[in-house]
Amino acid sequence: KTGLIGVEWRPTTTTLGELSAKRTACDPLWAVQIGRWFDEAGLKPGDRVAILASSSFPGLVLSSIAAAEARSLESLLVVSLGASTWGANSPDHPWPVIERELRQGGFVRAKAAFYTLGGDGEAGGSLSPEGRALLEAAARSSGVPLRVPDGLQEAIATKREALQAFGPKMLVSIGGSHANLGDDKTVLDLPPGLVVPAPGMRAGDGVLGHWLGSGRPALHLLAIEKLALKEKIPVDSPPRPWFASSSRAWAAGAGLALF
């Protein structure tokens, strides 16, 4: 009942994922924590932030956009559409549909600059022809350009060019998009959360690694349950009601008084 959990397996699914991690990623406290990271990095209203995301964690994409817009930051949004299990992998509700409904409902203003198919090379590798067709149709209906790179290096170059043209002060990398992380396994040693570049840091050969290599900070949102424990965000917690438990007596009293 989080509203942002997909299905176990459909043609738009790329890899396996943990249901508990996907539910944890839907907690709205992530928007608060991401906003704190923006503040810690010194971002000010009018600054630019790039959000390069996988559709595997739609809750984190929403929280990142909400945190940026709450602080009047300009955002570049790029999303790979293939998703791991329980992400935005429902054929009738992929990320382009979620994004459009969030925008039409007035929850966010952001619209993606472009999409990729995700999967291997971000060109739809590991997706079936049916899955590719479903995601291509979703991108067309959203009016957002779909970039289909010729291999991983072109996918990395495409995203790096978009970053260079936009000029953000911070990169938010969500999930395990192939171009974001690259093929160098050293990226797996990178701690999740706010990453401030340091001498000798090894961050892989993907967009994230190149970005950190330029000396600029990034948010690396992966290993979600580990990161949630570190930041004291509930792990796999059931959705909370709009009022806290301590307010239930007040709500009951107000209802009785109204009666």
Side-chain angles (χ1 to χ4, degrees):
K1 297 181 179 179
T2 63
L4 289 168
I5 295 296
V7 293
E8 185 172 10
W9 195 265
R10 289 294 186 277
T12 52
T13 309
T14 53
T15 54
L16 295 175
E18 292 289 338
L19 177 56
S20 59
K22 303 305 171 69
R23 283 195 292 245
T24 301
C26 290
D27 197 306
L29 287 176
W30 285 110
V32 178
Q33 181 57 49
I34 291 168
R36 289 173 177 165
W37 280 323
F38 287 160
D39 295 340
E40 187 176 343
L43 298 184
K44 305 297 183 186
D47 285 344
R48 293 184 167 186
V49 61
I51 302 171
L52 306 186
S54 161
S55 291
S56 296
F57 293 98
L60 290 179
V61 184
L62 171 56
S63 286
S64 297
I65 296 170
E69 292 184 350
R71 280 159 174 73
S72 299
L73 305 177
E74 294 185 40
S75 299
L76 170 72
L77 177 63
V78 176
V79 183
S80 59
L81 300 184
S84 56
T85 50
W86 311 110
N89 65 336
S90 176
D92 58 352
H93 222 70
W95 175 257
V97 175
I98 295 173
E99 181 185 311
R100 183 172 63 247
E101 291 181 351
L102 290 171
R103 197 166 53 248
Q104 290 175 347
F107 297 103
V108 300
R109 298 185 300 276
K111 184 175 183 179
F114 63 89
Y115 297 135
T116 67
L117 286 172
D120 294 339
E122 304 227 13
S126 74
L127 286 172
S128 67
E130 180 186 0
R132 288 177 60 101
L134 286 166
L135 294 178
E136 288 168 354
R140 281 196 303 271
S141 67
S142 70
V144 172
L146 178 66
R147 306 278 180 86
V148 184
D150 184 15
L152 176 61
Q153 294 308 312
E154 185 175 315
I156 293 172
T158 297
K159 290 189 176 183
R160 291 186 68 190
E161 289 167 7
L163 291 178
Q164 185 174 7
F166 186 66
K169 288 190 173 181
M170 187 174 208
L171 169 65
V172 181
S173 175
I174 301 173
S177 294
H178 200 179
N180 291 12
L181 302 186
D183 276 338
D184 186 345
K185 301 302 182 184
T186 59
V187 72
L188 300 177
D189 298 327
L190 200 64
L194 177 61
V195 182
V196 178
M201 176 179 286
R202 301 178 66 187
D205 57 358
V207 178
L208 178 60
H210 286 291
W211 174 271
L212 290 169
S214 70
R216 291 170 288 183
L219 285 184
H220 178 40
L221 302 184
L222 200 63
I224 299 306
E225 291 174 290
K226 176 182 177 181
L227 187 58
L229 288 170
K230 177 183 175 184
E231 302 300 338
K232 297 180 175 56
I233 292 175
V235 173
D236 203 12
S237 172
R240 294 179 295 280
W242 64 270
F243 52 88
S245 58
S246 59
S247 301
R248 291 177 181 174
W250 176 90
L256 184 60
L258 181 61
F259 174 78

